[in-house]
């Protein structure tokens, strides 16, 4: 592995260990850490695609229940990771698993819509993963997925401040380490939460430019109206992607 991918790998392991020690209370009933049970896929993702510095680093929020929570890759739509990136590794199970949200790894039959839209856009523009990852990389801010007693997905921004303070401290540190390793010109927040966290660490990196694109989640009405076209226009308007 290159020194760059080694640094990103080390940062991910450190983040996994740090957040693995944290405790969460209601409404959180189950916590999934795919950097633990799905580490083999995440390791392959870093080893293959984070070997060199990048021009643009995209930052997501946290694992979706049918995406990274299943297979360990950010915005991990199974088909995109398996068929486009050619990553297909064994995935273990969380220590505590909600019966309505089992981890089935690459056998998960559900589609992660956010991931399908995000990786679909990149495949449309760059065709091959090699061309995309030559200048881009995608990470999540928080590696944990949170579920309520009913199995509902809980995002990090909905947790109480006493629990997000140590969580965000660990995630900020990880983001700083990844930026140091990949040396991006641009840090793009996928959605409002990610963009806020981007702005929180940019003071350490005055040369890195920041921008935000619409989150591809189907929970956002705006994202259900040509998300790919809107995201492309946002990337072109800020100058991160060329026109045309």
């Amino acid at each position: 592995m290159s020194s760059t991918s080694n640094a990103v790998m080390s940062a991910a392991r450190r983040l996994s260990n740090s957040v693995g020690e944290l405790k969460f209370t209601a409404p959180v009933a189950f916590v999934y850490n795919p950097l633990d049970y799905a580490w083999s896929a995440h390791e392959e993702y870093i080893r293959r695609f984070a070997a060199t510095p990048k021009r643009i680093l995209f930052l997501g929020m946290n694992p979706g229940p049918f995406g990274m929570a299943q297979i360990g890759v950010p915005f991990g739509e199974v088909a995109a990771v398996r068929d486009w990136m050619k990553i297909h590794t064994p995935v273990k199970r969380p220590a505590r698993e909600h019966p309505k949200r089992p981890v089935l790894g690459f056998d998960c039959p559900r589609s992660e819509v956010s991931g399908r839209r995000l990786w679909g856009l990149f495949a449309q523009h760059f065709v091959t993963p090699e061309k995309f990852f030559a200048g881009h990389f995608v990470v999540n801010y928080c590696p944990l997925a949170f579920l309520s007693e009913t199995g509902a997905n809980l995002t990090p921004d909905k947790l109480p401040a006493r629990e997000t303070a140590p969580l965000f401290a660990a995630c900020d540190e990880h983001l700083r380490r990844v930026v140091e390793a990949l040396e991006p010109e641009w840090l793009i927040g996928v959605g409002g939460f990610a963009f806020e966290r981007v702005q929180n660490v940019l003071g350490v990196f005055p040369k890195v430019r920041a921008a935000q694109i619409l989150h591809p989640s189907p929970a956002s009405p705006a994202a259900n109206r040509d998300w790919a076209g809107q995201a492309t226009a946002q990337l072109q308007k800020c100058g991160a992607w060329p026109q045309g």
Side-chain angles (χ1 to χ4, degrees):
M1 280 193 300
S2 71
S3 59
T4 302
S5 55
N6 269 328
V8 177
M9 193 89 69
S10 175
R13 287 188 181 277
R14 178 169 177 167
L15 176 63
S16 179
N17 291 335
S18 296
V19 299
E21 298 173 354
L22 301 178
K23 303 298 181 184
F24 300 91
T25 58
V28 174
F30 294 82
V31 180
Y32 290 10
N33 181 5
L35 293 188
D36 177 21
Y37 61 82
W39 175 254
S40 61
H42 194 76
E43 181 180 39
E44 181 73 0
Y45 174 70
I46 293 174
R47 185 185 67 79
R48 288 184 53 196
F49 299 127
T52 58
K54 309 299 179 185
R55 181 172 175 269
I56 299 176
L57 178 63
F58 289 92
L59 183 72
M61 178 186 277
N62 76 310
F66 308 112
M68 185 174 178
Q70 295 290 331
I71 58 174
V73 174
F75 290 92
E77 160 75 1
V78 170
V81 175
R82 181 193 60 215
D83 303 332
W84 192 60
M85 298 182 206
K86 306 300 183 185
I87 295 175
H88 191 180
T89 68
V91 174
K92 299 176 183 178
R93 307 288 285 266
R96 290 186 67 247
E97 200 173 50
H98 195 290
K100 293 182 179 179
R101 293 290 182 265
V103 171
L104 304 175
F106 285 86
D107 293 325
C108 178
R110 296 283 296 270
S111 176
E112 178 77 6
V113 177
S114 294
R116 187 171 75 239
R117 289 173 173 174
L118 187 81
W119 294 115
L121 171 63
F122 297 153
Q124 176 186 343
H125 275 259
F126 295 91
V127 183
T128 68
E130 289 75 20
K131 288 182 179 178
F132 170 74
F133 287 109
H136 306 74
F137 197 63
V138 181
V139 296
N140 267 336
Y141 175 72
C142 172
L144 302 180
F146 304 97
L147 301 175
S148 71
E149 285 284 0
T150 65
N153 185 51
L154 302 169
T155 52
D157 57 319
K158 300 299 191 293
L159 305 183
R162 66 181 181 279
E163 295 177 1
T164 58
L167 174 64
F168 289 3
C171 296
D172 285 349
E173 176 63 21
H174 170 258
L175 180 56
R176 285 191 289 267
R177 288 176 175 271
V178 172
V179 172
E180 288 172 355
L182 296 180
E183 303 175 337
E185 296 176 26
W186 286 92
L187 196 46
I188 308 291
V190 183
F193 173 85
F195 184 61
E196 287 179 6
R197 303 319 302 173
V198 163
Q199 293 176 305
N200 195 57
V201 303
L202 275 186
V204 186
F205 306 101
K207 294 183 179 179
V208 179
R209 291 179 283 181
Q212 176 183 340
I213 61 172
L214 179 67
H215 197 285
S217 171
S220 165
N224 296 322
R225 298 189 296 271
D226 186 23
W227 175 83
Q230 293 186 75
T232 298
Q234 289 172 322
L235 289 166
Q236 292 175 338
K237 183 177 181 179
C238 72
W241 275 11
Q243 298 285 338

